[in-house]
């Protein structure tokens, strides 16, 4: 792996590893986790990369290999070293960045690929939710070796599962069945079913404290199979702020920094991970 720092962008090349998800640490400024897969996630293994910024660009702090592609990653909300990934073999893996080897624990109950994993942001509960191509969502307590509950109702692949930052025990899921669903862990079934699109839904997120990005109240970002990252301000009639074209393959992972108001990270199937400051966030509106 090689690091490059050009202009405001910091980049790490990841030969043979195609990026699926990127997430900044909620604890350590600039630390980034990236879930990657070999052969575009179709076959082969996966690697979890833990990166820190340095003068040369991005420095590899730690890497962990798994025997199948890794599709998502989420940081613990009560331990700065701990995170969970999910993979194509139907399992979740618990890692500790303070240790050179891992995983510490493997949770394997899903019957097909696990495409999404998220750690609850409400400090009163330490729960993880996972979504799978087996059309189920599972609820986990990382201290327990088996799932606490399985949620059924989707009629196709589940691509995204994410906790509400406001409502304890509430999460959303997005699926290839064209619906967005809202669930409550205290209820046996789905609470709300929203026919949100007339095609597969690949991702969903909650409005956080009336903000989409951590520092800009009406700014959000999207990444796409068209290789671009786009920044939007939904408070303006012409909502597109900027299009970033610095990848040569599908751009799959995207995250705003929690510490810097201008910093964004993304990862792509072109075997690169980038941290940068888009012009639309650095130039006053």
């Amino acid at each position: 792996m090689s690091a490059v720092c050009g202009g405001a962008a910091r980049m790490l090349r990841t030969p043979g590893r195609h990026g699926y998800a990127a997430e900044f640490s909620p604890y350590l400024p600039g630390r980034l986790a990236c879930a990657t897969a070999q052969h575009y996630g179709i076959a082969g293994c996966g690697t979890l990369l833990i990166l820190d910024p340095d003068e040369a660009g991005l420095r590899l702090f730690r890497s962990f290999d798994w025997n199948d592609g890794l599709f998502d990653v989420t940081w613990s909300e009560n331990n700065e070293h701990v995170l969970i990934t999910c993979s194509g073999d139907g399992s979740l893996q618990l890692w500790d960045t303070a240790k050179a080897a891992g995983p510490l624990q493997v949770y394997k109950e899903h019957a097909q690929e696990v495409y999404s994993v998220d750690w609850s942001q409400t400090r009163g509960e330490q729960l993880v939710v996972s979504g799978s191509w087996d059309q189920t969502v599972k609820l986990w307590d990382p201290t327990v070796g088996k799932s606490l509950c399985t949620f059924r109702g989707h009629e196709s692949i589940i691509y995204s599962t994410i906790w509400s930052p406001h409502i304890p025990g509430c999460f959303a899921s997005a699926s290839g069945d064209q619906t967005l669903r809202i669930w409550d862990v205290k209820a046996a079934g789905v609470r709300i079913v929203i026919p949100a699109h007339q095609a597969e839904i690949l991702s969903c997120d909650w409005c956080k404290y009336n903000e989409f990005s951590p520092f800009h109240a009406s700014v959000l970002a999207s990444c796409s199979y068209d290789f671009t990252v786009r920044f939007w301000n939904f408070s303006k009639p012409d909502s597109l702020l900027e299009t970033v074209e610095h990848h040569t393959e599908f751009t799959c992972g995207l995250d705003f920094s929690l510490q810097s108001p201008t910093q964004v990270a993304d990862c792509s199937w072109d075997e690169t991970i980038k941290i940068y400051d888009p012009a639309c966030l650095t130039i006053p509106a």
Side-chain angles (χ1 to χ4, degrees):
M1 298 183 185
S2 60
V4 177
C5 184
R10 299 175 183 270
M11 179 178 70
L12 184 78
R13 298 188 186 278
T14 59
R17 294 294 184 271
H18 305 103
Y20 264 89
E23 185 165 325
F24 279 106
S25 165
Y27 299 98
L28 302 176
R31 175 157 291 183
L32 183 73
C34 186
T36 71
Q38 198 175 23
H39 305 304
Y40 305 98
I42 299 171
C45 63
T47 302
L48 171 63
L49 304 171
I50 309 300
L51 310 173
D52 288 327
D54 64 13
E55 293 180 358
L58 289 175
R59 174 179 63 87
L60 181 65
F61 171 75
R62 193 85 76 198
S63 68
F64 300 101
D65 291 328
W66 186 244
N67 56 16
D68 212 313
L70 298 179
F71 296 138
D72 200 8
V73 60
T74 183
W75 288 94
S76 165
E77 290 292 332
N78 69 345
N79 188 320
E80 67 185 59
H81 303 295
V82 173
L83 61 174
I84 290 180
T85 53
C86 60
S87 67
D89 62 2
S91 72
L92 283 69
Q93 306 81 30
L94 180 74
W95 310 91
D96 186 338
T97 63
K99 303 180 185 301
L104 300 181
Q105 193 164 353
V106 177
Y107 314 90
K108 193 176 191 312
E109 293 185 21
H110 283 292
Q112 296 183 46
E113 291 91 334
V114 187
Y115 219 66
S116 178
V117 63
D118 192 41
W119 203 302
S120 174
Q121 297 179 28
T122 53
R123 293 299 193 272
E125 57 190 12
Q126 291 302 317
L127 297 175
V128 171
V129 67
S130 62
S132 170
W133 289 17
D134 66 9
Q135 304 180 19
T136 70
V137 177
K138 288 185 180 288
L139 178 71
W140 311 83
D141 179 338
T143 64
V144 178
K146 60 181 181 180
S147 65
L148 304 179
C149 185
T150 299
F151 298 87
R152 295 179 171 86
H154 278 297
E155 299 174 2
S156 185
I157 290 169
I158 297 171
Y159 288 108
S160 181
T161 49
I162 188 163
W163 290 102
S164 166
H166 306 288
I167 310 167
C170 179
F171 65 89
S173 61
S175 168
D177 65 10
Q178 306 179 10
T179 68
L180 176 68
R181 300 182 184 226
I182 310 300
W183 310 78
D184 186 336
V185 299
K186 303 177 190 68
V190 65
R191 297 294 298 269
I192 303 172
V193 179
I194 303 168
H197 291 267
Q198 297 181 355
E200 290 187 297
I201 305 174
L202 302 180
S203 184
C204 62
D205 199 3
W206 295 85
C207 184
K208 297 176 178 65
Y209 312 104
N210 296 323
E211 298 177 1
F212 282 87
S213 67
F215 296 95
H216 306 274
S218 58
V219 172
L220 64 156
S222 60
C223 61
S224 172
Y225 287 166
D226 67 6
F227 309 172
T228 71
V229 178
R230 296 174 190 250
F231 294 87
W232 313 83
N233 187 333
F234 60 83
S235 69
K236 298 183 177 182
D238 186 6
S239 59
L240 179 61
L241 297 177
E242 183 178 354
T243 300
V244 176
E245 300 177 280
H246 60 191
H247 286 295
T248 57
E249 257 291 359
F250 295 166
T251 308
C252 296
L254 176 67
D255 197 28
F256 282 99
S257 170
L258 298 172
Q259 285 88 15
S260 168
T262 63
Q263 198 169 71
V264 176
D266 63 40
C267 62
S268 167
W269 283 14
D270 64 8
E271 305 177 353
T272 66
I273 303 164
K274 299 188 179 185
I275 295 179
Y276 56 100
D277 300 83
C280 65
L281 300 184
T282 58
I283 300 172

